[in-house]
Amino acid sequence: VVIGVGTVALYFTTFITDSIKQKQLNIFEEQVSREVRSHNNNPNNTITFVVHGAHTVSGEIRRGVQLVLPYYFTGALLLIIFVVTSLILAALCYSYPMKRLQLILPLAAIISPILAAISAIDLILLTGYHINMLILVSPFLTLATGIGVDDAFLLTNTWLKSVAIPHALTTAERLQFVLEKVGIGITITSLTNSLGFTLGCIAPAPEIQLFCATVSLSMLLDLLFQ
């Protein structure tokens, strides 16, 4: 005798053979989601339904990104202020010409990851894939999480340290010194980060696959740009 049941799961499986059936499945999932929300919002109902599906997950991802989008902008703005301030203070410590630093170093440190993310989005579009809300915030993610900015700090700090070398160095020799010191570390960390997001492409949700592919590509491009 069954006294009570806490959870009941029902799974429906279908095979998608063309784009028409995919659209029909998306419409079906949207209609089911609306009915479930209407049912769950009714306080008289004692049974709560939870819908699971790739299209449903993608919709929740888009909704979540829209909610946190202002925080991405705020984080990116604060990071830009931090980068500019840090590079100016570093230049003061090494007695580096301030005019050149203000025009080149902060601008390059900020633009490089953003340009890499935008280039990755363009390549995704050229291959015929669509973009989603997650991909649109990837430039701010690449910048705000310090994926590209930390490499810029390493390059800048090593470049400024080369000023303290007793014998004078040419520009080419200073660049060689910088690459010898931090080039391998930057390359390994960038490739590791890129590979980590590449593994995310095996996720079942298509929206997450596109996002991981875009971020992985943007990290490789940022390595080349830097």
Side-chain angles (χ1 to χ4, degrees):
V1 178
V2 179
I3 299 177
V5 177
T7 303
V8 175
L10 299 176
Y11 290 94
F12 297 90
T13 303
T14 184
F15 297 96
I16 305 300
T17 57
D18 52 44
S19 59
I20 297 178
K21 290 186 178 180
Q22 180 64 54
K23 292 180 180 179
Q24 292 174 347
L25 179 61
N26 293 341
I27 294 174
F28 172 76
E29 288 192 12
E30 290 176 357
Q31 292 176 347
V32 171
S33 298
R34 285 195 295 267
E35 292 295 332
V36 167
R37 284 194 297 268
S38 176
H39 172 85
N40 293 338
N41 291 333
N42 189 348
N44 297 324
N45 294 326
T46 58
I47 299 177
T48 301
F49 290 100
V50 179
V51 180
H52 295 275
H55 185 71
T56 305
V57 172
S58 300
E60 290 299 318
I61 291 174
R62 290 192 295 268
R63 188 176 66 87
V65 171
Q66 292 174 354
L67 292 176
V68 301
L69 191 59
Y71 299 100
Y72 280 109
F73 284 101
T74 303
L77 178 60
L78 293 176
L79 183 61
I80 290 173
I81 296 174
F82 174 76
V83 169
V84 174
T85 304
S86 299
L87 292 179
I88 291 177
L89 293 177
L92 291 175
C93 294
Y94 290 99
S95 300
Y96 197 79
M98 289 297 298
K99 292 182 179 179
R100 203 181 309 172
L101 174 77
Q102 292 174 343
L103 293 176
I104 298 176
L105 294 182
L107 185 63
I110 295 169
I111 288 182
S112 177
I114 295 179
L115 184 61
I118 295 176
S119 300
I121 294 175
D122 293 338
L123 292 176
I124 291 295
L125 291 174
L126 288 175
T127 55
Y129 291 97
H130 68 280
I131 60 176
N132 52 41
M133 288 298 299
L134 280 176
I135 293 179
L136 291 179
V137 301
S138 61
F140 304 100
L141 175 66
T142 307
L143 177 64
T145 56
I147 293 173
V149 174
D150 58 347
D151 293 344
F153 277 126
L154 290 174
L155 292 170
T156 303
N157 183 59
T158 309
W159 178 271
L160 294 176
K161 281 184 177 180
S162 65
V163 179
I165 297 178
H167 58 280
L169 295 178
T170 63
T171 302
E173 290 173 340
R174 293 180 68 183
L175 181 59
Q176 179 182 355
F177 172 80
V178 171
L179 295 179
E180 288 177 353
K181 291 294 183 181
V182 298
I184 296 178
I186 289 177
T187 302
I188 292 176
T189 55
S190 298
L191 293 178
T192 302
N193 291 333
S194 178
L195 180 60
F197 276 94
T198 301
L199 294 177
C201 295
I202 64 176
E207 305 296 330
I208 297 180
Q209 292 177 356
L210 285 174
F211 169 73
C212 291
T214 304
V215 176
S216 176
L217 182 59
S218 68
M219 291 180 184
L220 292 178
L221 293 176
D222 184 48
L223 175 62
L224 296 177
F225 292 161
Q226 288 181 344

